[in-house]
């Protein structure tokens, strides 16, 4: 029998047995409390308990994690048997934490979890997509709709001015954000996001931007299990821009010229009709995609295994011949019981990726998408008139032609990098990038006595990647000419590894539970090398015929190479967890890291954390009611670090390529010189975070988690400007800035079964406010973003009191409707502020009141980072039918819509230009169109370009049917399910560009981002 936890006055002794409903199995460790006292007991291995109560009016409270709490009045009974029901709150669910796992009910940190069941219905290519909208506190945006592209993942805001990518740990192996592409979705058992410093501090040195733990599936003892999941479908653009047709284009061009005092170019615009729809030329409405995953698992009590194969093949919706992606995955995980006390295990994954990409996505400088937006609709796709085809410019060497020998059309009006997309695609056919990633670890774990575990783990990631490309002779327009052929091959290799040794001890006695972990780690990354070679003027006209076997003279060859500087981290860490009756919870940990990126003065950093939890619902005084079944209050504080400043920044290193000419020979000699002054006091970035939250189960079916956090980063590593007279090539590294993120997160879940009908709804919403609090002495701001095309002004600015990369520019105050308004816009002295403005031009705000418009009148215009993110998943089931709806969205941010090339006057417009100012009272929002833009209506970055970036998207919609087991068992199958599915079915947004899901605060400047596709698929799940 379990021991008593308290002694009551003389009274009744009550005994009994606690079992589980349905199974009748005894429940071990059930807490039996006497309400209003400290008296209690716990059930033993047979489910038996014994407790003394003060009298017949006493009330017993039976509770256990994962079961519904039950209260019983004793009366005059001395034998009370109890049957507990499972609690839908899933509080006995295990979540992975750093170097271990904990029951969800006793976790004191802020951790969001995504399980294998959540991923089963998602048509994702990369694992980072799996977290979007499913975990609070995360801002995840696609960097491009190009198949295979990675996502921008931000955990609780932008933490630093350096690398904000979280630390990914896959089965204990640290990988970079770009290196997770090798993972196969069906291989994932769970993903845990460590969001607060109390959880992250166990990873110390590189945890400031968040930690994401990925655990892959393992085999289970028993019969062999075979599973297949696959789908086939098509993708298409979800949206096309409304661009001017030929008649509209000619009308606007004429008006622009006339407004500038020049003659119109087109005599009869209406006769030109629709012209060429360049978007239809580049978009594919039936781009194929398929995914196939096969796994085999099983084993005995001594050895288990999990083996899987995966294959993805996806065509892009933009310029499909040069936009494709495929990946092959192989995984083998196994565990082996070498002795009762000794276990060996390994996890090994391999991924082969081949990416045929546009290369310059989200760029206004060329490429199919930018060309389709800016190219005039008067230019035909191909020249069908033999007379025209035989004249200039189609007689030039390198003219690209279609299969019938007809030259692709070249615009008479729009030039520079804007070219015929069909001709451009021909110059890129066959080019591709590739990568091979091998990621795995092996471990040996010994348990010489119960509760004491010694574990050694060796993990590594070996990567090979590169590209092959051929450029034929090409004449795309008068300014885009390739005058010599070239064939290039680039190869890279990288090896990262980590070695970790841990000792842990876990002990239970009475109601006490504690565990201790101590460990040591050694990590090395950036062991890289690169070499490349290019041969020029090889006798080939296409990629298939190109080869390095065409040997060229030395003056027609070029090569390059590089090696990475090794980055090493050495660590010691320890953690203590304690709980009393799973009611009072404590976690304390500390980690000490040394980094090769800091000098002797500050080589080591110490990162501690402490978190506490209190499960009020397990207290005897907690009122018995049906509303709140479980309630845990928790809070934590911790410190984590960041050393992402580059290697040897604390030293004055020597750089090459400093060429100099001696004498009058004209010959340059390669020289070397110091890069920047040394800074031996360079130290760690540190991020401290306070987190307060609670977890609750309501009405037995509703789970709820609420978090408040404040995250402060100090000593942000930057390269502040130094005076030019110092003579340094570069600016030295220093600790100069502070950043703050503060927010609230809410996660809700509801699960209920009504007869044959199953219903569950899970949702989350996050609010995050980011601001810079310090940029160092004498530094007012940091400019960011590129200058907006022909404008000389940067688009963003980072300043104290503002979010990182806030939009910065001019403020419009409507449009001058007549000359009188121009002349009446004066300063205090009566001087006209915009003397060169004309009716139809923007009235610029004179914010500093100096009576003129210049760069000093710029101001902060908006936040590029969403402040609110949300998502929900609805699961319905009725008998053999199932339905899944997953939606997510964001709001609170602006997008800079910069799709049109301003430095090319004849570039095409969106149809919004038809609402331009054409006379007094016509509009107060869209200025006149005039060649040269003398008032800089369009050249000035201003609020005119900023649009609401909020959106809501139905990300996944799926309907499935499971064939009855009475049918499948007859053919030896355990499970057979068929489903139809859509991805990105509907997007609700006010944004006028292709896709509002852009940047996530990294850029949020739309220069022609590759949009995400809308897909429809038919799939099959099989189990044997």
């Amino acid at each position: 029998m379990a021991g008593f936890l308290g002694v009551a006055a003389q009274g009744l002794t009550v005994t009994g047995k606690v079992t589980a409903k349905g199974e009748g199995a005894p429940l071990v460790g059930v807490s039996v409390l006497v309400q209003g006292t400290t008296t209690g007991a716990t059930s033993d291995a047979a489910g038996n308990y014994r407790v003394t109560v003060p009298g017949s009016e006493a009330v017993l409270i039976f509770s256990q994690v994962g079961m519904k709490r039950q209260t019983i009045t004793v009366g005059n009974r001395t034998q009370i048997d109890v049957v507990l029901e499972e609690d839908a709150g899933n509080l006995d669910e295990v979540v992975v934490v750093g170097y271990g796992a904990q029951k969800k009910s006793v976790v004191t940190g802020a951790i969001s979890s995504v399980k294998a069941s959540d991923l089963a219905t998602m048509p994702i290519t990369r694992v980072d997509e799996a977290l979007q909208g499913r975990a609070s506190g995360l801002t995840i945006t696609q960097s491009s709709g190009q198949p295979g592209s990675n996502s921008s993942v931000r955990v609780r805001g932008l933490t630093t001015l350096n690398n904000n990518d979280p630390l990914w740990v896959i089965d204990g192996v640290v990988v970079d954000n770009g290196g997770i592409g090798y993972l196969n979705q069906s291989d994932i058992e769970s993903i845990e996001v460590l969001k607060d410093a109390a959880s992250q501090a166990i990873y110390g040195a590189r945890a400031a931007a968040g930690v994401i733990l990925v655990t892959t599936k393992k085999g289970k003892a028993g019969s062999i299990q075979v599973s297949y999941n696959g789908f086939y479908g098509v993708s298409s653009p979800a949206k096309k821009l409304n661009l001017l047709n030929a008649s509209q284009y000619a009308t606007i061009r004429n008006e622009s010229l006339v407004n500038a005092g020049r003659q119109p170019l087109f005599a009869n615009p209406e006769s030109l009709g629709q012209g060429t729809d360049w978007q239809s030329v580049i978009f594919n409405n039936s781009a194929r995609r398929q995914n196939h995953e096969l796994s085999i698992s099983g084993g005995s009590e001594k050895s288990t295994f999990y083996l899987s194969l995966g294959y993805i093949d996806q065509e892009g919706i933009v310029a499909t011949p040069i936009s494709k992606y495929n990946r092959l995955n192989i995984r083998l995980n196994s565990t082996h019981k070498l002795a009762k006390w000794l276990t060996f295990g390994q996890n090994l994954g391999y991924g082969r990726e081949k990416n045929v990409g546009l290369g310059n996505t989200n760029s206004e400088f060329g490429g199919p998408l930018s060309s389709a937006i800016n190219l005039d609709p008067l230019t035909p796709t191909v020249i069908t008139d033999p007379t025209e085809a035989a004249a200039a410019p189609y007689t030039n060497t390198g003219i690209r032609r279609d299969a019938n020998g007809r030259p692709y059309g070249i615009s008479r009006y729009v030039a520079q990098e804007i070219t015929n997309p069909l001709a451009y695609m021909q110059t890129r056919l066959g080019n591709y990038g590739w990568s091979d990633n091998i990621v795995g670890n092996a471990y040996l774990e010994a348990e010489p006595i119960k509760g004491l575990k010694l574990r050694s783990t060796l993990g590594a990631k070996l990567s090979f990647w590169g590209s092959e490309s051929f450029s034929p002779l090409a004449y795309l327009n008068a300014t885009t000419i390739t005058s010599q052929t070239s064939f290039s091959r680039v190869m890279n290799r990288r090896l990262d590894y980590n070695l970790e040794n841990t000792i842990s001890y876990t002990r239970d006695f009475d109601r006490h539970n504690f565990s201790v972990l101590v460990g040591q780690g050694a990590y090395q990354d950036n062991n890289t090398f690169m070499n490349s070679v290019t041969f020029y003027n090889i006798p080939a006209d296409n990629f298939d015929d190109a080869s390095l076997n065409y040997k060229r003279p030395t003056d027609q060859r070029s090569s390059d190479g590089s090696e990475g500087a090794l980055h090493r981290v050495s660590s010691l860490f320890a953690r203590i967890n304690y709980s009393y009756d799973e009611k009072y919870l404590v976690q304390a940990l500390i980690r000490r890291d040394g980094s090769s990126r800091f000098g002797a003065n500050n080589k080591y950093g110490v990162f501690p954390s402490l978190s506490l939890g209190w499960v009020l619902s397990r207290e005897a005084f907690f009122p018995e009611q049906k509303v709140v079944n479980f309630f845990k209050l928790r809070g934590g504080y911790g410190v984590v670090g960041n050393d992402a400043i580059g290697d040897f920044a604390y030293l004055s290193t020597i750089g090459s390529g400093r060429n100099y000419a001696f004498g009058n020979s004209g010959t340059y000699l390669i020289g070397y010189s110091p890069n920047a002054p040394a800074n031996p006091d360079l130290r760690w970035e540190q991020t401290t975070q306070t987190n307060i939250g609670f977890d609750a189960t309501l009405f037995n079916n509703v789970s709820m988690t609420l978090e408040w956090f404040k995250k402060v980063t100090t000593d942000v590593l930057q390269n502040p400007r130094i005076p030019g007279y110092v003579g340094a090539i570069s600016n030295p590294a220093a600790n100069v800035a502070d950043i703050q993120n503060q927010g609230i997160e809410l996660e809700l879940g509801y699960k209920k079964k009504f007869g044959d009908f199953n219903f569950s709804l899970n949702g989350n919403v996050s609010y995050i406010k980011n601001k810079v609090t310090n940029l160092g002495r004498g530094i007012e701001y940091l400019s960011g973003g590129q200058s907006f095309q022909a404008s000389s002004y940067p688009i963003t600015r980072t300043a104290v009191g503002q979010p990182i990369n806030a939009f910065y520019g001019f403020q419009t105050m409507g449009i001058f409707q007549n000359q009188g308004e121009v002349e009446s816009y004066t300063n205090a002295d009566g001087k006209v502020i915009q003397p060169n403005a004309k009716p139809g031009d923007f009235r610029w705000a004179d914010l500093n009141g100096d009576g003129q418009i210049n760069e000093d009148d710029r101001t902060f215009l908006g936040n590029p980072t969403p402040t609110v993110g949300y998502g929900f998943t609805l699961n319905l089931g009725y008998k053999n039918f199932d339905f899944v709806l997953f939606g997510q969205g964001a709001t609170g941010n602006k997008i800079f819509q910069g799709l049109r090339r301003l430095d090319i006057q004849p570039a095409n417009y969106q149809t919004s230009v038809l609402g331009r100012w054409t006379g007094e009272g016509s509009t107060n929002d869209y200025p006149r169109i005039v060649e040269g833009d003398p008032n800089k209506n369009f050249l000035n970055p201003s609020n005119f370009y900023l649009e609401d970036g909020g959106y809501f998207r139905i990300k996944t919609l799926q309907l499935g049917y499971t064939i009855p087991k009475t049918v499948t068992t007859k053919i030896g199958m355990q499970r057979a399910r068929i489903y139809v599915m859509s991805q990105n079915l509907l997007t609700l947004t006010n944004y006028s560009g292709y896709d509002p899901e852009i940047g996530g605060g990294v850029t949020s400047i739309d220069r022609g981002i590759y949009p995400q596709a809308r897909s429809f698929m038919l799939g099959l799940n099989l189990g044997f």
Side-chain angles (χ1 to χ4, degrees):
M1 292 292 179
F4 290 104
L5 297 181
V7 180
Q10 292 184 355
L12 298 174
T13 298
V14 179
T15 61
K17 186 171 185 177
V18 189
T19 56
K21 183 178 180 180
E23 300 177 358
L27 290 176
V28 183
V30 174
S31 173
V32 186
L33 295 177
V34 181
Q35 192 174 57
T37 74
T38 59
T39 302
T42 54
S43 60
D44 63 13
N48 298 315
Y49 74 92
R50 179 186 176 193
V51 64
T52 300
V53 300
S56 61
E57 296 181 355
V59 176
L60 296 181
I61 303 172
F62 297 84
S63 62
Q64 186 181 55
V65 173
M67 308 302 288
K68 292 182 180 179
R69 180 169 146 172
Q70 191 173 145
T71 59
I72 296 177
T73 301
V74 174
N76 57 4
R77 293 174 293 176
T78 59
Q79 172 77 25
I80 300 177
D81 294 332
V82 178
V83 178
L84 296 184
E85 296 182 48
E86 183 180 354
D87 189 347
N90 290 325
L91 294 169
D92 58 345
E93 175 185 308
V94 173
V95 297
V96 177
V97 297
Y99 306 98
Q102 286 182 295
K103 284 195 294 186
K104 186 177 179 180
S105 62
V106 299
V107 169
T108 54
I111 301 176
S112 289
S113 182
V114 177
K115 300 301 183 183
S117 57
D118 300 319
L119 304 177
T121 58
M122 299 181 65
I124 61 174
T125 304
R126 288 173 52 93
V127 64
D128 42 19
E129 300 174 43
L131 295 171
Q132 188 179 40
R134 293 182 181 270
S136 63
L138 270 67
T139 303
I140 300 178
T141 53
Q142 288 284 101
S143 59
S144 170
Q146 164 76 40
S149 296
N150 62 349
S151 299
S152 164
V153 181
R154 301 292 177 256
V155 179
R156 288 187 167 178
L158 297 171
T159 303
T160 178
L161 299 176
N162 299 299
N163 184 359
N164 279 283
D165 292 335
L167 182 74
W168 290 83
V169 183
I170 302 173
D171 290 328
V173 182
V174 175
V175 301
D176 59 286
N177 187 53
I180 60 174
Y182 82 99
L183 273 172
N184 186 26
Q185 148 187 2
S186 290
D187 291 340
I188 298 173
E189 181 66 33
S190 69
I191 306 174
E192 271 78 20
V193 184
L194 311 186
K195 298 184 294 186
D196 69 327
S199 304
Q200 299 162 356
I202 195 68
Y203 291 101
R206 292 174 287 179
V211 180
I212 301 179
L213 308 178
V214 180
T215 304
T216 59
K217 294 179 179 178
K218 309 295 188 293
K220 297 179 181 179
S223 59
I224 299 295
Q225 303 289 317
V226 180
S227 297
Y228 167 81
N229 179 35
F231 63 76
Y232 182 91
V234 294
S235 302
S236 62
K239 179 182 180 180
K240 289 173 61 177
L241 300 181
N242 294 318
L243 299 174
L244 299 182
N245 62 30
S247 295
Q248 294 167 334
Y249 172 82
T251 300
I252 294 297
R253 287 293 298 135
N254 280 351
E255 184 178 315
S256 177
L257 293 167
V258 170
N259 285 341
R262 296 165 58 182
Q263 293 297 313
L265 187 61
F266 303 98
N268 185 7
E270 292 299 325
S271 66
L272 298 175
Q274 295 294 312
T276 304
D277 179 359
W278 289 109
Q279 292 182 99
S280 296
V281 170
I282 66 164
F283 280 136
N284 185 351
N285 290 313
S286 56
R288 294 178 291 107
R289 64 179 299 186
Q290 57 181 317
N291 185 29
H292 305 281
E293 298 162 339
L294 177 68
S295 67
I296 305 172
S297 64
S300 64
E301 294 298 327
K302 287 195 172 184
S303 291
T304 63
F305 74 95
Y306 175 87
L307 174 66
S308 72
L309 297 172
Y311 178 73
I312 289 176
D313 186 58
Q314 186 175 357
E315 293 181 335
I317 59 171
V318 178
T320 300
I322 58 171
S323 178
K324 301 177 182 179
Y325 174 81
N326 64 60
R327 185 183 74 210
L328 174 67
N329 298 91
I330 302 174
R331 171 166 293 279
L332 175 62
N333 294 346
S334 67
T335 58
H336 309 279
K337 204 77 172 176
L338 305 181
K340 288 186 64 176
W341 55 274
L342 186 62
T343 302
F344 171 77
Q346 58 79 221
N347 306 285
L348 182 63
Y350 165 75
R352 167 74 177 186
E353 297 176 271
K354 183 177 180 181
N355 196 330
V356 180
L358 301 187
N360 52 351
T361 58
N362 201 18
S363 168
E364 70 269 32
F365 298 112
L369 197 59
S370 181
S371 293
I373 295 170
N374 289 282
L375 199 59
D376 64 274
L378 300 175
T379 301
T381 55
V382 294
I383 304 301
T384 56
D385 182 357
T387 302
E388 185 179 357
Y394 301 107
T395 55
N396 286 293
T397 301
I399 289 293
R400 311 312 298 177
R401 301 176 184 274
D402 69 2
N404 297 316
R406 300 174 299 182
Y408 291 111
I410 298 175
S411 175
R412 301 176 183 177
Y413 313 104
V414 181
Q416 298 186 45
E417 302 89 356
I418 305 303
T419 61
N420 189 318
L422 295 175
Y424 175 88
M425 281 189 272
Q426 276 212 350
T427 67
R428 299 294 187 271
L429 289 175
N431 299 348
Y432 69 95
W434 60 273
S435 69
D436 290 308
N437 288 288
I438 304 171
V439 182
N441 72 346
Y443 65 88
L444 191 66
E445 184 175 273
E447 189 174 7
I449 61 174
K450 184 178 180 181
L452 177 65
K453 294 183 178 181
L454 295 84
R455 183 183 177 109
S456 290
T457 303
L458 176 63
K461 178 187 176 186
L462 178 60
S463 303
F464 301 90
W465 73 98
S467 63
E468 295 198 9
S469 60
F470 173 72
S471 294
L473 297 177
Y475 185 99
L476 301 183
N477 61 33
T479 58
T480 309
I481 303 169
T482 304
S483 58
Q484 61 179 348
T485 63
S486 64
F487 181 67
S488 299
R489 178 172 292 152
V490 181
M491 298 187 68
N492 300 264
R493 187 199 68 191
R494 173 168 175 157
L495 174 63
D496 301 341
Y497 76 83
N498 59 268
L499 173 64
E500 295 176 327
N501 297 290
T502 60
I503 302 175
S504 64
Y505 181 66
T506 302
R507 174 77 187 276
D508 289 294
F509 58 93
D510 292 334
R511 298 188 185 184
H512 304 271
N513 173 275
F514 76 91
S515 64
V516 179
L517 169 78
V518 294
Q520 167 270 333
Y523 312 86
Q524 176 180 288
D525 59 57
N526 204 37
N527 183 0
T528 64
F529 82 79
M530 180 278 292
N531 58 55
S532 66
V533 61
T534 302
F535 280 17
Y536 298 97
N537 291 316
I538 65 173
D541 189 49
N542 60 75
F543 178 88
D544 292 334
D545 293 338
S547 171
L548 294 180
N549 287 328
Y550 293 115
K551 301 304 180 186
R552 307 305 299 155
T554 55
D555 62 346
Q556 295 182 29
R557 293 182 294 185
S558 67
S559 61
D560 195 10
S562 66
E563 296 178 358
L566 294 181
H567 174 218
R568 293 189 174 101
V569 176
S570 179
S571 307
L572 296 173
F573 50 90
R575 179 176 61 205
I576 297 175
N577 289 88
Y578 170 77
S579 72
Y580 173 73
D581 193 28
E582 296 189 351
K583 179 166 54 178
Y584 307 120
L585 316 170
V586 180
Q587 176 178 277
L589 62 87
I590 190 168
R591 179 160 177 149
R592 182 174 185 261
D593 285 314
S595 172
S596 61
R597 289 177 172 166
F598 300 100
N601 293 3
N602 293 290
K603 185 172 292 292
Y604 292 92
V606 178
F607 308 100
S609 80
L610 175 68
S611 57
L612 305 172
W614 182 19
V615 184
L616 280 80
S617 55
R618 291 182 67 86
E619 294 283 7
F621 63 76
F622 195 80
E624 175 59 27
Q625 29 74 42
K626 297 182 179 180
V627 178
V628 181
N629 315 111
F630 175 87
F631 188 89
K632 176 178 64 177
L633 182 66
R634 52 186 169 76
Y637 176 85
V639 182
V640 286
N642 183 15
D643 65 348
I645 188 59
D647 299 290
F648 306 118
Y650 62 94
L651 296 173
S652 180
T653 55
I654 301 297
S656 63
R658 315 287 160 70
N659 303 336
Y660 195 82
F662 290 91
N664 299 319
S665 66
T667 302
Y668 286 89
L669 300 178
I670 296 176
Y672 302 84
S673 68
N675 292 315
N679 182 1
D681 294 323
L682 197 68
R683 58 187 180 274
W684 294 85
E685 281 187 13
Q686 287 198 342
T687 299
T688 61
Q689 189 173 171
T690 302
N691 190 94
I692 299 173
F694 70 79
D695 304 307
T697 302
L698 312 175
F699 306 104
N700 290 320
N701 298 103
V702 178
S703 60
M704 178 181 182
T705 296
L706 182 67
E707 312 268 5
W708 171 87
F709 69 89
K710 183 177 182 180
K711 182 166 66 170
V712 177
T713 302
T714 57
D715 295 331
V716 173
L717 295 162
Q718 279 288 284
N719 297 91
R721 296 182 296 272
I722 58 175
Y725 58 74
V726 175
I729 296 296
S730 305
N731 296 312
N735 301 89
V736 297
D738 302 334
I739 297 169
Q740 177 181 294
N741 289 275
Q742 189 169 322
I744 298 175
E745 301 165 1
L746 174 65
E747 295 184 356
L748 286 171
Y750 176 77
K751 185 176 182 180
K752 187 73 173 178
K753 185 173 183 179
F754 307 92
D756 292 330
F757 182 75
N758 291 299
F759 176 91
S760 71
L761 177 64
N762 294 282
N764 66 84
V765 62
S766 307
Y767 169 79
I768 300 175
K769 183 179 181 181
N770 166 266
K771 70 176 180 179
V772 177
T773 56
N774 175 42
L775 283 174
R777 186 173 58 188
I779 301 176
E780 297 181 8
Y781 62 85
L782 300 173
S783 292
Q786 300 175 16
S787 294
F788 181 43
Q789 300 181 20
S791 171
S792 60
Y793 300 114
I795 305 172
T796 64
R797 173 174 287 189
T798 297
V800 174
Q802 298 291 332
I804 294 175
N805 291 332
F807 288 118
Y808 193 75
F810 294 89
Q811 183 72 49
T812 63
M813 297 173 60
I815 293 174
F816 293 117
Q817 297 297 319
N818 52 56
Q819 189 62 32
E821 290 188 2
V822 175
E823 295 174 355
S824 63
Y825 186 37
T826 60
N827 61 17
D829 299 327
K831 184 179 179 181
V832 175
I833 294 177
Q834 290 179 242
N836 298 322
K838 302 294 183 184
D841 285 337
F842 274 135
R843 182 200 308 259
W844 301 113
D846 180 20
L847 296 179
N848 67 348
D850 65 355
Q852 59 182 335
I853 303 300
N854 55 33
E855 63 180 12
D856 296 330
D857 293 304
R858 292 175 296 161
T859 187
F860 291 97
L861 301 172
N863 188 353
T865 307
T867 55
V868 177
Y870 57 92
F872 71 88
T873 304
L874 172 65
N875 287 273
L876 303 176
Y878 180 72
K879 294 186 176 179
N880 290 351
F881 290 93
D882 60 85
F883 173 83
V884 178
L885 172 64
F886 168 51
Q888 61 86 213
T891 188
N893 65 305
K894 298 289 187 180
I895 298 175
F896 193 99
Q897 208 264 47
L899 297 176
R900 183 175 180 270
R901 282 289 293 269
L902 299 182
D903 57 334
I904 303 177
Q905 295 281 330
N908 201 7
Y909 292 84
Q910 291 179 251
T911 54
S912 56
V913 74
L914 299 178
R916 71 210 176 279
W917 187 92
T918 55
E920 186 169 353
S922 56
T923 181
N924 204 38
D925 299 317
Y926 203 113
R928 68 184 181 127
I929 304 299
V930 55
E931 201 81 353
D933 192 17
N935 192 57
K936 297 185 179 180
N937 295 321
F938 300 98
L939 285 174
N940 278 345
S942 69
N943 60 304
F944 173 71
Y945 288 104
L946 293 185
E947 299 185 20
D948 181 9
Y951 71 93
F952 168 72
R953 173 170 282 160
I954 297 179
K955 201 74 175 177
T956 304
L957 184 68
Q958 185 174 135
L959 178 64
Y961 177 75
T962 301
I963 298 174
K965 285 191 175 182
T966 54
V967 177
T968 56
T969 52
K970 292 180 180 179
I971 55 176
M973 296 178 62
Q974 290 185 346
R975 181 184 71 260
R977 175 177 174 266
I978 188 170
Y979 60 91
V980 291
M981 175 171 54
S982 70
Q983 185 180 35
N984 300 326
L985 178 65
L986 175 67
T987 301
L988 302 177
T989 182
N990 292 322
Y991 180 58
S992 65
Y994 285 115
D995 195 338
E997 189 182 322
I998 168 176
V1002 179
T1003 58
S1004 291
I1005 302 170
D1006 190 355
R1007 306 172 188 269
I1009 191 169
Y1010 194 127
Q1012 295 185 64
R1014 175 186 292 151
S1015 302
F1016 297 92
M1017 291 148 283
L1018 176 66
L1020 187 65
N1021 295 130
L1022 300 176
F1024 299 88

